[in-house]
Amino acid sequence: MIPKHVAIIMDGNGRWARMRGKERIYGHYEGTESVRVCCEFAVEAGVEYLSLFAFSEENWARPEDEVTGLMHLMARSMLNERPTFQKNNIRFVVIGNRSRLSEELNRDIDTAMEETSGNTGLTLIVFLSYSGRWDIEQAAGRFAAAGAPEGKFSTFLATADIPDPDLLIRTSGEKRISNFLLWQCAYTEFYFTNTLWPDFRKNEFRQALDDFASRQRRFGKTGDQI
Ligand code: FPP
């Protein structure tokens, strides 16, 4: 079975670059090629939602030149990929604490989101300046203010109209969630690989999907009930 929603923590760019005696940003640039390949493969495989953790709230604490470089990379990728989104019928969405992004980047994000809002193929969600706790906190505030009934909490999360991830992939050998989709991953299957993100391409993605297909998801029920 193909997961409807795949989320990825793209990790290991810095190490990939350092292993080659290069600056960390070089790994991020190579990582954008993996992003492109994985989007293409997601479309090919029939994945409906692809979520990418591109920049966490905690990442703001990285050295200034790396943060600037990453923001520049996001802006450049968005500009370059817009025609590809249209060609491949991809709906592009950015989720995160956008008040921390520059006005210019926010404008480019809005343009790309508006331009692709009618596309009906893959929904590509880039998480920028995002953290799961930020999301829960902002949702809790709005939930309380609205006096909303029990059971409706998830409709206040930034991911309200997106189904929970079926599969979460993390590259580079780290085995933690790092404040990504905390609420949304309640029943998500996790897949960890030692492959560094710039090396995570079609074959690695296919392997993760094959592994997912072999899992039995029980959602709290017994195996006999499935
Ligand atoms: C983690 O590797 C990676 C990031 C913090 C950035 C990921 C961003 C991209 C791949 C850029 C392009 C994204 C899009 C959506 C266009 P790390 O730096 O933590 O690596 P390390 O653990 O080896 O230091």
Side-chain angles (χ1 to χ4, degrees):
M1 199 180 149
I2 295 292
K4 186 174 182 158
H5 182 178
V6 179
I8 308 184
I9 301 179
M10 310 179 287
D11 199 6
N13 294 346
R15 274 165 284 168
W16 188 92
R18 287 291 185 217
M19 278 162 63
R20 287 159 179 79
K22 308 223 173 174
E23 294 296 322
R24 294 172 50 83
I25 195 72
Y26 182 75
H28 297 313
Y29 272 83
E30 194 58 31
T32 58
E33 187 53 26
S34 297
V35 169
R36 236 177 40 78
V37 171
C38 286
C39 284
E40 265 175 29
F41 185 61
V43 170
E44 192 185 318
V47 170
E48 291 176 42
Y49 297 84
L50 181 65
S51 286
L52 302 176
F53 202 10
F55 194 87
S56 71
E57 282 267 78
E58 291 77 18
N59 287 153
W60 288 111
R62 289 194 174 198
E64 202 182 321
D65 60 336
E66 185 170 343
V67 171
T68 312
L70 272 167
M71 288 301 146
H72 174 76
L73 186 55
M74 301 298 166
R76 200 191 74 150
S77 305
M78 217 152 5
L79 211 64
N80 289 348
E81 297 306 327
R82 264 165 51 195
T84 328
F85 293 154
Q86 295 301 37
K87 200 181 99 206
N88 294 300
N89 197 20
I90 292 174
R91 182 165 73 104
F92 176 75
V93 176
V94 169
I95 288 180
N97 183 359
R98 288 184 51 188
S99 67
R100 299 186 74 175
L101 304 178
S102 75
E103 227 173 273
E104 197 187 353
L105 183 55
N106 269 321
R107 234 189 347 260
D108 290 345
I109 291 170
D110 284 337
T111 308
M113 282 176 56
E114 278 159 27
E115 211 172 71
T116 64
S117 63
N119 291 349
T120 52
L122 175 75
T123 298
L124 170 66
I125 310 139
V126 173
F127 288 79
L128 258 189
S129 190
Y130 178 86
S131 86
R133 287 182 177 176
W134 163 79
D135 197 3
I136 291 169
E137 233 171 68
Q138 68 78 26
R142 296 192 302 122
F143 178 79
E150 221 176 282
K152 289 281 173 213
F153 183 74
S154 64
T155 65
F156 290 87
L157 291 166
T159 52
D161 54 353
I162 297 162
D164 288 344
D166 300 292
L167 172 66
L168 175 89
I169 298 171
R170 183 171 189 149
T171 58
S172 92
E174 311 293 351
K175 297 183 180 69
R176 50 179 176 264
I177 193 164
S178 295
N179 213 351
F180 194 24
L181 297 161
L182 297 181
W183 174 281
Q184 296 87 340
C185 282
Y187 285 100
T188 300
E189 296 291 326
F190 286 19
Y191 179 85
F192 299 107
T193 170
N194 288 333
T195 304
L196 303 177
W197 178 248
D199 292 327
F200 190 91
R201 300 288 162 94
K202 197 168 164 170
N203 277 343
E204 286 74 20
F205 201 172
R206 185 183 285 123
Q207 232 170 300
L209 296 190
D210 286 349
D211 188 90
F212 174 83
S214 72
R215 313 256 181 117
Q216 188 195 47
R217 304 184 74 194
R218 295 204 290 271
F219 300 97
K221 296 183 179 164
T222 69
D224 293 340
Q225 289 175 296
I226 306 298

